[in-house]
Amino acid sequence: MSSTPLGSIDATRVPRFAGPATFARLPRADEVDHVDVAVVGVPFDSGVSYRPGARFGPAHVRASSKLLRPYNPALDVSPFAELQVADAGDIAVNPFDIAEAIAAVENAARVFAAQGTRLLTIGGDHTIALPLLRAAAAEHGPIGVVHFDAHLDTWDTYFGQPYTHGTPFRRAAEEGLLDPRRCLHVGIRGPLYSPADLTDDGVLGFQVVHSDDYQDATVASVVERMRARLGDGPVYVSVDIDVLDPAHAPGTGTPEAGGLTSRELLGTLRGLVGLDVVGADIVEVAPAYDHAELTGVAAAHTAYELLSVLARNRRDAAR
Ligand SMILES: N=C(N)NCCCC(=O)O
Ligand SMILES: [Zn+2]
Ligand SMILES: [Zn+2]
């Protein structure tokens, strides 16, 4: 394993608007000899029910990540110094065959796992959480999930189809990938198909922190609920950027009013420090509907906080 991680290109020497198109101007995975955490894109949006365009999410989030700086004062950590983070490019998947795309994502995720590399995956629509959870469960067994989203994504089928961006967590529960005592959604809101959506979801093992809960509860109290639910076992973090209010993240395919602020999301993510986070995704960024990189910047900062949590955990474990 190499000694000092190779970090971002120095912005005091190479201006941010020059230099590589990698996430946070980090090295490519093939430029370093070991990768602790790979940022990998999945440009796939064939599972969407409404606006398409999340296939362009990975490139947009990378472009919106150029201003990130090396030190995170909120968690007192320099993520790219504690961990070798590198950009592994995109997993190229078939846009015309959802089953084949899902298999390709799972296979790629298993290859990274075999190399001892954790994944921070940039979507892509939420369909891709299923193969990522399959790979995570293959490595760790049934896994706890914290799912940030306006939507439950535990619906059964759309137009008779079981593999869509509205169904990944039902399929994951059916496949036994989830620890039903250790799953929760955060940010749920908006119209449903029927009251059964919520009861079915509870049966699958999910607790719900509603978006409105942030009105009365503090971020700290949401963090307390989240940590109590997730416990000590392995945790997968899935962030659908539509968990944010459309004012904070307009660039997404199924926007819902009444969402979280980016401050609430980032604050809640910081509350994951000390939990065994084994993988994460950020999905549903659809740049065609974005303005002034609002959504891209929110997603890039979300990624940065998640990487900071992993880096803090590494540092704290070494002490
Ligand atoms: N996963 C996301 N973003 N959306 C799911 C919405 C499914 C529906 O149209 O009912
Ligand atoms: Zn959603
Ligand atoms: Zn979703």
Side-chain angles (χ1 to χ4, degrees):
M1 200 185 298
S2 62
S3 41
T4 316
L6 194 55
S8 299
I9 300 281
D10 183 353
T12 64
R13 290 187 302 112
V14 181
R16 294 189 166 92
F17 33 86
T22 53
F23 180 82
R25 303 172 1 123
L26 285 161
R28 296 191 314 266
D30 62 7
E31 295 174 312
V32 292
D33 49 6
H34 173 82
V35 181
D36 295 311
V37 183
V39 177
V40 66
V42 182
F44 173 83
D45 64 5
S46 307
V48 301
S49 56
Y50 196 48
R51 298 169 173 170
R55 65 180 61 182
F56 299 109
H60 188 62
V61 176
R62 287 186 178 103
S64 302
S65 70
K66 289 177 177 290
L67 185 56
L68 292 170
R69 299 183 189 85
Y71 176 64
N72 183 347
L75 287 176
D76 182 30
V77 73
S78 297
F80 311 138
E82 299 288 337
L83 293 169
Q84 179 63 65
V85 186
D87 191 321
D90 290 339
I91 303 172
V93 297
N94 188 336
F96 300 108
D97 187 328
I98 294 181
E100 189 184 313
I102 286 174
V105 172
E106 180 183 348
N107 291 338
R110 283 173 180 261
V111 170
F112 284 109
Q115 293 165 348
T117 296
R118 289 197 169 165
L119 286 187
L120 175 57
T121 307
I122 312 288
D125 76 51
H126 224 148
T127 310
I128 67 169
L130 177 63
L132 295 167
L133 285 166
R134 282 181 184 163
E139 196 184 354
H140 302 281
I143 196 163
V145 171
V146 56
H147 166 221
F148 294 86
D149 205 320
H151 309 99
L152 298 165
D153 290 357
T154 51
W155 286 294
D156 190 10
T157 58
Y158 286 84
F159 292 83
Q161 297 302 311
Y163 299 107
T164 77
H165 79 151
T167 57
F169 297 100
R170 180 179 291 244
R171 296 290 92 78
E174 289 169 347
E175 292 179 23
L177 309 178
L178 312 182
D179 180 346
R181 295 159 306 177
R182 299 178 47 247
C183 292
L184 81 161
H185 309 288
V186 178
I188 299 300
R189 62 187 187 274
L192 300 173
Y193 297 95
S194 91
D197 295 355
L198 283 168
T199 45
D200 288 0
D201 183 79
V203 170
L204 294 171
F206 283 90
Q207 281 186 358
V208 179
V209 176
H210 295 272
S211 181
D212 286 348
D213 293 351
Y214 280 88
Q215 193 69 38
D216 308 312
T218 59
V219 168
S221 69
V222 172
V223 164
E224 219 173 285
R225 275 177 73 187
M226 173 177 77
R227 294 179 70 93
R229 182 69 177 163
L230 294 172
D232 292 330
V235 172
Y236 186 87
V237 186
S238 187
V239 182
D240 183 328
I241 206 65
D242 72 29
V243 72
L244 297 178
D245 191 90
H248 293 255
T252 196
T254 43
E256 309 282 350
L260 272 61
T261 65
S262 51
R263 186 174 58 207
E264 287 165 340
L265 175 62
L266 300 178
T268 309
L269 291 171
R270 287 173 197 137
L272 292 166
V273 162
L275 301 190
D276 185 16
V277 177
V278 299
D281 63 58
I282 303 166
V283 297
E284 299 284 347
V285 174
Y289 319 100
D290 203 7
H291 301 278
E293 287 188 317
L294 294 178
T295 317
V297 167
H301 281 248
T302 297
Y304 185 74
E305 292 302 335
L306 288 165
L307 293 167
S308 297
V309 166
L310 294 171
R312 262 290 298 267
N313 287 352
R314 161 70 67 92
R315 191 180 78 197
D316 295 349
R319 278 188 181 156

